[in-house]
Amino acid sequence: MGKYVIAGNWKMNKTPAEATELISAIKPLVADATCDVIVGVPFVDLQAALDATKGTKIGVAAQNCYWEKSGAFTGEIAADMLRVMGVGYVILGHSERRTFFGDTDATVAKRVRGALDAGLTVILCVGEYLEQRELGITGEVVAMQTKIALNGVSEEELARVIIAYEPVWAIGTGKTATAEQANEVCALIRNVLTDLYNETAAKAVTIQYGGSMNAANAAELLAMSDVDGGLIGGASLKPNDFATIVAAAK
Ligand code: PEP
């Protein structure tokens, strides 16, 4: 399926000096990685992360961006600003942005547009709340989020989109989806992509699982046919655990 990508989402953790330290610890541990490795850091850590990853294959991601190029948008960061710095990736639509900061499917779609126009690669997060899973509407929710976010995204641009399936009930809770649950929804997302584009394009997209993935459960999740990597929160702050997950992505 898609190429394996393991991305850390550091959330609101680490100062620039701490980011340098953490990346220095991660670097030798993932030097032989056969998958792509990304660290998603707070805005203020981006330069430190770019400096610390220089000369390595580790990519750097921001955790959000705005869709306008410039203007009176106090507190926002434009996708172009990230690109000019040398940032390659941006995480968009994370459930914490949707739940705590008012992101909607419509604003996520605008952010995706802005990021792709700026030349960034997007890690697009989708996933259902527990109530939605219990109602049996996981498929509908995830399909809708995917379709809205990709509205207007061309097949060529899709090559710069990674999708992270992150059931909200599994994020930061220690509750992981079973490998079968993760694979079922990742496969469903791939079917949505086949309908929107075609089978070849859909197969080339990296579809990650995220939600309490850790050193102990990564191998089983990553062995599933439609799981092409992971978006890792808590465990990405622990160099050995993160490296174990990277090593499991073969
Ligand atoms: C995340 O933040 O995207 C995430 C999956 O977090 P955690 O691994 O801590 O559940």
Side-chain angles (χ1 to χ4, degrees):
M1 291 293 175
K3 111 185 121 170
Y4 275 99
V5 180
I6 300 294
N9 174 19
W10 292 10
K11 313 194 189 212
M12 196 179 71
N13 290 295
K14 306 294 175 188
T15 64
E18 290 167 345
T20 303
E21 201 180 319
L22 179 52
I23 291 170
S24 301
I26 290 171
K27 258 193 310 198
L29 302 176
V30 303
D32 298 328
T34 53
C35 64
D36 286 0
V37 180
I38 299 167
V39 288
V41 306
F43 288 123
V44 295
D45 295 345
L46 286 169
Q47 192 57 57
L50 289 166
D51 293 342
T53 55
K54 209 167 183 176
T56 74
K57 290 191 293 182
I58 302 173
V60 175
Q63 298 174 8
N64 193 18
C65 70
Y66 196 56
W67 54 86
E68 295 287 351
K69 289 188 190 313
S70 63
F73 303 106
T74 303
E76 290 298 316
I77 304 284
D80 274 328
M81 292 172 171
L82 299 173
R83 186 68 201 151
V84 166
M85 285 184 80
V87 173
Y89 300 86
V90 63
I91 299 168
L92 293 176
H94 191 279
S95 72
E96 286 151 19
R97 301 293 325 166
R98 295 179 191 254
T99 304
F100 305 133
F101 303 106
D103 240 336
T104 63
D105 289 334
T107 59
V108 171
K110 286 182 168 194
R111 293 183 205 283
V112 168
R113 181 74 268 146
L116 291 174
D117 284 348
L120 299 173
T121 293
V122 169
I123 301 175
L124 166 67
C125 303
V126 296
E128 82 286 2
Y129 288 99
L130 183 59
E131 299 74 14
Q132 294 168 326
R133 174 160 285 269
E134 286 171 349
L135 272 173
I137 58 170
T138 297
E140 284 98 321
V141 169
V142 169
M144 186 181 72
Q145 290 173 335
T146 305
K147 286 180 185 175
I148 294 174
L150 295 181
N151 183 26
V153 172
S154 69
E155 184 178 337
E156 196 189 347
E157 289 172 326
L158 187 68
R160 284 189 288 116
V161 176
I162 293 166
I163 298 180
Y165 165 55
E166 299 211 304
V168 182
W169 48 271
I171 298 177
T173 58
K175 280 186 209 151
T176 316
T178 64
E180 290 72 26
Q181 284 171 328
N183 199 51
E184 185 185 14
V185 183
C186 289
L188 181 145
I189 293 168
R190 210 176 297 282
N191 285 337
V192 169
L193 298 177
T194 302
D195 289 346
L196 290 177
Y197 300 91
N198 55 65
E199 202 179 330
T200 311
K203 277 189 174 159
V205 174
T206 296
I207 303 179
Q208 302 172 316
Y209 166 77
S212 301
M213 192 187 276
N214 58 39
N217 62 27
E220 190 188 357
L221 287 157
L222 293 167
M224 300 308 286
S225 60
D226 279 281
V227 179
D228 306 322
L231 183 56
I232 322 297
S236 71
L237 299 171
K238 300 177 191 153
N240 288 314
D241 291 18
F242 188 60
T244 301
I245 298 169
V246 167
K250 294 203 179 84

